[in-house]
Amino acid sequence: MNDVKSWNEAINRVLEPTIIKTKNILDNYKYLYDIADKLRKAKEEVIKNLGYYIDKTMKSVEMVGGTSYLARDSEEARKIIGELVGTNKKIVMGKSMVAYEVGIRQYLINMGNEVWETDLGEFLIQLADEYPSHIIAPAIHMTKERAAQLLKEKIDPNIDESRSPEDLVKSVRKFLRAKFLNADIGISGANAVAADTGAVLMIENEGNIRMTSVLPPTHIVITGIEKIVPTLEYGFYEVMVQSAFGSLYPPTYVNLTAGPSSTADIEHNRVRPAQGPKEFHLILVDNGRSKAARDPVLWEALLCIRCGRCYFHCPIYKTIGPSWGIPPYNGPTGVMWNAVIRGLNNKNVGETAMLCVHAGGCKESCPMKINIPEVIHYIKTLYLRSL
């Protein structure tokens, strides 16, 4: 993963096409800039009043027949999800950086469960036993040839390096279909959680999150408290902005889940469950976010919608690669996120921040207009004063 030649080859195949693609999207759909500005103001409102919005969100989830939890830290999040899942279960997971952050997958495997990532990038990462190299493109460091070799070793001996990406995706589709159909529990993240309705919004392109959130009898969502937005309207804003600045607009799917499945086809009386999941659980994770929200500089990190655009405009990430950071968070936004979840006094966080050269591309490319260089400068200053 850290091989320089391999990294350069992989990133050079992706970097320029992605930057051009995102620019074209933003040129063609100029309303996205206005939506991004509105979203920033709404997220500022939530960050300034986190306690109020957490309480409101949890009550809204209960109103639509779900169950909500607030985990103060990683250990508490693992304990909650461990009690919900139990042992000897088959579990499919949609992409979730927060699940990585608190160590959910390995924790559930250690409890005796069968757990499969279903996002293709995350699936490759799981097979390779590596960490994500980008916040929305976790296997960006893998060339097609390496992905083919990995799939040949792990799931299909008939695959060879000459296979097209379409053939590789077909092989994974065949393997994962059986996992979806036999899963007891689906676990996903969330792009936004609407405080007024308890609705969770998730964007994707593969269809794996749709199946993860609908086919198993239990759906568990785990996400950070900073994903709360005041209303469902802003939830849609967030998925639109995230997908556009993440270079895939419109997204193939926008999934909205508000409680367990339901029907009102008999006397228009809404009852639960229907054909989808019987249970819906939302786990909101704090893990340093409330403390960061009170910090005069670090609070701005919580505005991040994790589109990953800043990575492609950062010379340090391009040069060093995914090893610039502390897993699972890397890149310029990863410096901020590690300060949020590990603390501003963490030595490793400070050392990571020192590698930033303040080129400023991250700030210019950020849809939330987060002053990332200033936040990193702040982390550097605290680190140097501690020496």
Side-chain angles (χ1 to χ4, degrees), residues 231-271:
T231 66
L232 186 53
E233 176 185 8
Y234 289 104
F236 280 105
Y237 286 173
E238 179 144 353
V239 298
M240 291 170 70
V241 175
Q242 200 269 3
S243 59
F245 283 77
S247 81
L248 294 170
Y249 188 82
T252 307
Y253 301 106
V254 176
N255 301 291
L256 188 155
T257 296
S261 60
S262 67
T263 179
D265 279 348
I266 299 176
E267 298 183 352
H268 208 58
N269 178 35
R270 195 167 188 174
V271 296

Side-chain angles (χ1 to χ4, degrees), residues 48-112:
K48 289 174 184 173
N49 301 282
L50 263 178
Y52 168 78
Y53 280 103
I54 290 170
D55 184 59
K56 185 174 182 178
T57 301
M58 295 179 73
K59 287 177 180 174
S60 294
V61 170
E62 303 286 338
M63 288 289 289
V64 293
T67 309
S68 57
Y69 313 81
L70 176 62
R72 288 170 297 181
D73 52 31
S74 296
E75 183 178 353
E76 200 164 283
R78 290 192 295 269
K79 182 173 184 292
I80 291 169
I81 210 161
E83 290 175 352
L84 287 172
V85 171
T87 59
N88 298 314
K89 299 293 196 311
K90 295 180 175 61
I91 301 163
V92 286
M93 294 186 67
K95 186 178 180 303
S96 168
M97 289 302 291
V98 176
Y100 259 115
E101 177 186 317
V102 301
I104 292 298
R105 189 213 305 155
Q106 194 57 51
Y107 180 75
L108 293 177
I109 291 172
N110 292 344
M111 288 179 63

Side-chain angles (χ1 to χ4, degrees), residues 12-297:
N12 286 332
R13 290 185 187 181
V14 173
L15 191 69
E16 187 173 337
T18 303
I19 290 174
I20 293 172
K21 191 161 52 177
T22 306
K23 182 181 182 304
N24 290 338
I25 290 169
L26 297 175
D27 286 344
N28 289 333
Y29 306 99
K30 294 187 182 300
Y31 58 82
L32 290 163
Y33 289 108
D34 292 335
I35 290 174
D37 288 343
K38 292 177 182 175
L39 178 62
R40 171 169 171 130
K41 291 176 183 173
K43 292 179 76 69
E44 284 182 7
E45 158 68 16
V46 172
I47 292 168
K48 289 174 184 173
N49 301 282
L50 263 178
Y52 168 78
Y53 280 103
I54 290 170
D55 184 59
K56 185 174 182 178
T57 301
M58 295 179 73
K59 287 177 180 174
S60 294
V61 170
E62 303 286 338
M63 288 289 289
V64 293
T67 309
S68 57
Y69 313 81
L70 176 62
R72 288 170 297 181
D73 52 31
S74 296
E75 183 178 353
E76 200 164 283
R78 290 192 295 269
K79 182 173 184 292
I80 291 169
I81 210 161
E83 290 175 352
L84 287 172
V85 171
T87 59
N88 298 314
K89 299 293 196 311
K90 295 180 175 61
I91 301 163
V92 286
M93 294 186 67
K95 186 178 180 303
S96 168
M97 289 302 291
V98 176
Y100 259 115
E101 177 186 317
V102 301
I104 292 298
R105 189 213 305 155
Q106 194 57 51
Y107 180 75
L108 293 177
I109 291 172
N110 292 344
M111 288 179 63
N113 297 292
E114 179 184 339
V115 186
W116 290 102
E117 298 281 357
T118 61
D119 172 88
L120 177 56
E122 293 291 351
F123 180 68
L124 292 170
I125 293 300
Q126 181 179 11
L127 294 181
D129 193 23
E130 295 175 353
Y131 281 106
S133 51
H134 183 274
I135 206 161
I136 63 167
I140 200 172
H141 60 286
M142 287 191 191
T143 60
K144 175 179 75 70
E145 292 78 13
R146 178 156 183 244
Q149 184 62 36
L150 185 63
L151 293 173
K152 179 179 181 179
E153 292 173 3
K154 300 291 184 177
I155 69 167
D156 186 352
N158 296 315
I159 291 175
D160 60 57
E161 292 184 2
S162 65
R163 291 285 189 90
S164 67
E166 288 79 6
D167 287 337
L168 300 180
V169 173
K170 184 178 179 181
S171 296
V172 174
R173 175 190 172 97
K174 181 180 177 183
F175 180 87
L176 286 179
R177 278 296 165 119
K179 307 302 178 187
F180 283 121
L181 293 173
N182 292 301
D184 300 298
I185 295 169
I187 300 175
S188 72
N191 295 101
V193 184
D196 64 337
T197 56
V200 173
L201 287 104
M202 301 160 283
I203 51 168
E204 58 158 335
N205 299 288
E206 297 180 21
N208 65 303
I209 291 179
R210 184 153 294 191
M211 288 193 279
T212 296
S213 61
V214 171
L215 288 177
T218 299
H219 179 204
I220 300 172
V221 173
I222 181 166
T223 193
I225 55 177
E226 84 285 0
K227 288 296 182 183
I228 296 172
V229 291
T231 66
L232 186 53
E233 176 185 8
Y234 289 104
F236 280 105
Y237 286 173
E238 179 144 353
V239 298
M240 291 170 70
V241 175
Q242 200 269 3
S243 59
F245 283 77
S247 81
L248 294 170
Y249 188 82
T252 307
Y253 301 106
V254 176
N255 301 291
L256 188 155
T257 296
S261 60
S262 67
T263 179
D265 279 348
I266 299 176
E267 298 183 352
H268 208 58
N269 178 35
R270 195 167 188 174
V271 296
R272 299 183 175 89
Q275 300 303 315
K278 299 176 182 178
E279 297 180 24
F280 172 78
H281 303 272
L282 171 66
I283 303 172
L284 293 168
V285 177
D286 188 321
N287 208 26
R289 290 163 172 82
S290 291
K291 185 177 181 181
R294 297 189 295 271
D295 188 277
V297 178

